[in-house]
Amino acid sequence: MTTDANAPWLIAGLGNPGPEYAMNRHNVGFMVADLLAHRIGAKFKRAAKAQAQVVEGRIGAPGPASRRVILVKPMSYMNVSGGPVTALRDFYKVPTEHIVAVHDELDIDYGMLRLKLGGGDNGHNGLKSMTKAMGPDYHRVRFGIGRPPGRMQVADFVLKDFSSPERKELDYFVDRAADAVEALITEGLERAQSTYNS
């Protein structure tokens, strides 16, 4: 099945709602979504059709190269992200291969990026929920957070704020991840991978 090139894209930044989670490693998807919304010049609003906040706009140079996008921050907590994303996919008639999940990734060093289409969830509860709801054939922009130090549990690590040294570079890495999302949508996966995969 070929996808309509003019079909909208849905970019789901994964995270947990609420100020206590805002700077957690697990919320880097929200951070990237917020930056993309800022670039579009729009503010997130509560979606009527799902437990989520949404922004609609366009990414890319004006004209035929620009792409219609729906930015989504599920407000349902990470481990049930699939419900709101699927509801919005159906409402906006987005093909699954035009969905991008932006999420933290333990198996990649801090600040490094990997873009891919499909695959497993690698124990990530947000991806697990999305895959259960719609299958695995969506894009992922994986933002490396590295592994927990010593014997710290993974759950504790991802729900902690970025460290002071990490925060010094965080804005730069979030900016680069937002660039990668834009490249994926406007230039295609292979070109975006060759530029941003590390």
Side-chain angles (χ1 to χ4, degrees), residues 6-7 14 34 39 60 69 84 86-87 111 115 125 135 137 142 146-147:
N6 295 316
L14 300 186
D34 284 336
R39 290 180 180 183
V69 296
T86 305
L115 284 69
N125 287 331
D137 299 326
R142 304 158 73 204
R147 281 265 160 200

Side-chain angles (χ1 to χ4, degrees), residues 11 29-42 44 55 58-59 71 102 174 177-179 181-182 185:
I11 303 157
F30 274 17
M31 296 174 201
V32 174
D34 284 336
L35 179 57
L36 287 165
H38 176 74
R39 290 180 180 183
I40 288 170
F44 276 97
V55 162
R58 299 192 81 82
I59 281 176
L71 301 174
V102 185
V174 168
D179 290 347
V181 172
E182 291 189 1
I185 288 168

Side-chain angles (χ1 to χ4, degrees), residues 180-195:
V181 172
E182 291 189 1
L184 168 61
I185 288 168
T186 58
E187 298 172 25
L189 178 62
E190 284 185 23
R191 285 189 66 176
Q193 283 175 324
S194 68
T195 306

